[in-house]
Amino acid sequence: MVDWSGGNDTGPRPRKDAIWACIARGGRVEAPVYLRNRGAAEDWLSDLFAAEAAAGRRVLAGFDFPFGYPAGFAARLVGAPDPLALWDWFAARVQDAPGGNNRFDLAGEINAMFPGTGPFWANGLKRDIADLPRKDRRDGHGLPERRRCEAVAKGAFPCWQLAGAGAVGGQVIMGLPVLARLRRRFDAAAWPFEAWDTAPVVLVEVWPSLIADAVKAAMVEGEIKDAVQVQVLARALSALPPARLAALMDVDAAEEGWILGLGHEAELARAARPDPVPPALGNDCFALPAGVDWTSVDDALAQLRAGLHPVVASETLSSTEALGRVLAAAPVARRSNPPAPNSAVDGYGFAASAGAGTGPQVLPLVAGRAAAGAPFEGRVPEGHAIRILTGAILPEGVETVVLEEDVTADPDRIAFNGPVKPGANTRKAGEDVAEGATILAPGHRLRPQDLALLAALGVDRVAVHAPLRVGVLSTGDEIRPLGVAAGVGQIYDANRPMLLGLAARWGYAPVDLGHVPDDRAALRARLDAAAGEADVILTSGGASAGDEDHVSALLSEAGAMQTWRIAVKPGRPLALGLWQGVPVFGLPGNPVAAFVCSLVFARPAMGILSGEGWQVPRCFTVPAAFSKSKKPGRREYLRARLDENGHAEVFKSEGSGRISGLSWSEGLVEIGDGAREIAPGDPVRFLPYGAFGL
């Protein structure tokens, strides 16, 4: 979606009344793109259309200006009611440059072709233009004031007004030539004038005011409305099913054109508000290949990675509010960093040739200085220097800066020893990041340093995934909450606070689902409620095949249950299933096993579900500070930490009931599936808890 402009170049910094564009691709809306003039916009659109064609995708490109004029206008100019011939007529006559164009003069020439006072009005220039009135004093030209669609669209402006509030006339004159060139270059179809069903690019007329309330609801204080409305409109149209979009495009407006979605405002508004939601997981997402009994850790991880996809919606936030959120689309730099050539030091600036000489150099100083935020107005003459401070934009005529410590200065001149290298102590515009560059890949979780980068590049809004809601549920009659006396045979609930803490540390939204006793009806009711509160559910206990393992039993009844017997220690049984479409991880009841299985299996799986992607912990090879004889068959994870020599020592007991070992340790030593004899000094794989995001 493109918000167009008929005016001049608006400069490097994003601003209102400029050209803004936004892409919705594959159900996800990207950040709006600022385009400073029509030349930049045409280049950007051309690159986009070419890239999408190369990827085998079609493009619906919407522009917020009329594609046609009221009936009778085209025939007067091109001899037939052919709007596309009219596009070419304008393309042959419009003169356009970043600093100015001939739209007012051309409108005066067109007016002269009509009887009376021609249809165009509102001369926005200081000089008078023949046949173009400054005010609306037209009569006798014989054309309708509005197109048929503008009579239907409440608040739409006619295309004859060239300047002033609400004027779209200049946008049409300056926009149709661009559309004419894009249409021919990419074999695009202009809707509703041409058949569009199979065209690689379809050009359509849009009007964001059709969904003004949705735009207003999406606005954040300080945002540019033009940028927000193309994003909201892109989201609305991309959310429509193909059949509904085709129905909206089924109109008959051969000469004048039509506004896409006119008459369907309520439907567009509904589509604009909710963000696209990924499809539900299939019931077989956890299914193992037929005949599999025991599953290795590597095979289990591969199965999880292949069977899952993101389950969270996306939304657009102010960059300042997006800390810790996962990017749903790659932001695009709206300005360069640095935005302009500038000085890297405090010193004196001059042309490169002025500092090229060998030995003492003396240069006269110009009056004034250049400082950050206060650029020097004017040009520094050849052979002169200027006082310049760190971060100041290099004035015209300055290419090199010499450090003030290397200069002797008086009020009128400076002296230094040459030669000084051309470009010394300066920064080039965009040497860090150039305007229009893609930054930070989708799936990246935003950190404080990323917010600094986004701010420096003018990115004020980002598309992010909604936080993954992780529900945590404990089961079992033996479990007691803290603060309540525990009797004989009862234990305190250690798993739930641990799992909720893990979810929070990983940047998810923890949802405390409480504790349910060994009561199948009560557990069913709790899972039913949890399905509406969480995107994924972690349970502990009740995941095996005993009489009181109700989690496994209920998931089996639901028809979406798999028990994975994983060759891992501690752990082994892992119940995986779906409850009303929500993935459920049935973790072991033992806290040590629940902790290890969460790190090894649940964390990377939830990375995919959250849109962050598969998370692989980075390990280190260090010498062992222990001895161990391991049998083949299972992969083992030992609670460990590094001693003062950087050697891995392991907890005194491998018993999975020894919860204190979790607090004692700093990570895990991973010992592979095969047999292994480990002696002190032998290399082992150490995975610090930091590698798991803790």
Side-chain angles (χ1 to χ4, degrees), residues 40-67:
E42 187 171 349
D43 290 343
W44 183 86
L45 288 163
S46 296
D47 291 343
L48 171 67
F49 294 170
E52 295 303 291
R57 295 187 289 260
R58 300 175 67 206
V59 180
L60 178 80
F63 299 82
D64 73 330
F65 59 82
F67 279 18

Side-chain angles (χ1 to χ4, degrees), residues 301-675:
L301 293 174
Q303 286 292 127
L304 286 173
R305 189 170 190 175
L308 301 176
H309 61 67
V311 297
V312 290
S314 61
E315 58 185 338
T316 301
L317 292 181
S318 168
S319 299
T320 58
E321 299 174 345
L323 180 65
R325 299 293 286 272
V326 175
L327 286 173
V332 175
R334 295 188 182 177
R335 68 182 314 198
S336 296
N337 183 47
N342 66 87
S343 177
V345 299
D346 291 342
Y348 296 86
F350 40 80
S353 58
T358 302
Q361 307 292 312
V362 178
L363 299 178
L365 280 171
V366 300
R369 70 173 191 173
F376 178 76
E377 301 291 341
R379 180 182 180 86
V380 177
E382 182 78 20
H384 288 65
I386 186 173
R387 174 66 167 154
I388 190 167
L389 303 182
T390 302
I393 294 176
L394 299 184
E396 189 177 356
V398 171
E399 301 156 319
T400 300
V401 176
V402 62
L403 278 164
E404 65 176 68
E405 291 87 349
D406 296 333
V407 170
T408 300
D410 61 32
D412 301 316
R413 57 186 179 171
I414 61 170
F416 59 91
N417 285 314
V420 178
K421 183 180 178 181
N425 301 312
T426 65
R427 308 184 185 106
K428 297 179 181 179
E431 68 177 22
D432 180 24
V433 181
E435 179 182 351
T438 298
I439 50 175
L440 301 175
H444 180 80
R445 189 176 293 277
L446 291 172
R447 305 162 297 173
Q449 56 267 45
D450 301 321
L451 301 191
L453 177 63
L454 294 172
L457 300 174
V459 180
D460 56 346
R461 288 179 68 80
V462 288
V464 295
H465 289 290
L468 183 74
R469 300 171 300 169
V470 180
V472 177
L473 175 65
S474 292
T475 67
D477 287 341
E478 75 280 14
I479 300 297
R480 300 294 286 168
L482 286 175
V484 177
V488 176
Q490 295 179 323
I491 59 174
Y492 287 115
D493 189 353
N495 281 341
R496 187 153 48 96
M498 176 182 70
L499 296 175
L500 289 168
L502 286 175
R505 284 293 295 269
W506 289 332
Y508 306 137
V511 180
D512 189 349
L513 301 177
H515 161 253
V516 176
D518 290 323
D519 182 319
R520 193 163 301 185
L523 180 58
R524 179 184 288 106
R526 186 63 57 87
L527 289 174
D528 286 343
E533 301 174 30
D535 302 306
V536 60
I537 299 171
L538 305 182
T539 70
S540 59
S544 190
D547 293 341
E548 300 298 337
D549 289 322
H550 299 293
V551 173
S552 300
L554 284 176
L555 290 174
S556 296
E557 288 179 15
M561 162 69 185
Q562 296 286 332
T563 299
W564 288 15
R565 301 173 69 193
I566 302 174
V568 63
K569 179 183 178 182
R572 284 203 279 190
L574 191 63
L576 301 170
L578 296 177
W579 189 265
Q580 297 183 14
V582 176
V584 178
F585 284 76
L587 300 170
N590 185 295
V592 175
F595 181 80
V596 171
C597 286
S598 294
L599 267 56
V600 176
F601 302 109
R603 177 178 180 258
M606 290 193 296
I608 289 184
L609 297 173
S610 69
E612 191 173 8
W614 190 258
Q615 305 295 301
V616 178
R618 295 183 179 179
C619 68
F620 302 89
T621 300
V622 299
F626 62 94
S627 300
K628 180 175 175 61
S629 178
K630 177 189 173 295
K631 296 178 180 180
R634 287 200 286 172
R635 184 169 303 183
E636 295 190 14
Y637 292 92
L638 309 179
R639 286 153 285 173
R641 66 185 184 189
L642 300 183
D643 63 17
E644 64 275 9
N645 298 314
H647 294 193
E649 56 181 351
V650 297
F651 190 56
K652 58 188 177 182
S653 170
E654 294 183 16
S656 57
R658 304 287 290 271
I659 303 176
S660 62
L662 294 177
S663 294
W664 173 90
S665 59
E666 299 171 342
L668 301 172
V669 162
E670 180 186 63
I671 306 177
D673 303 344

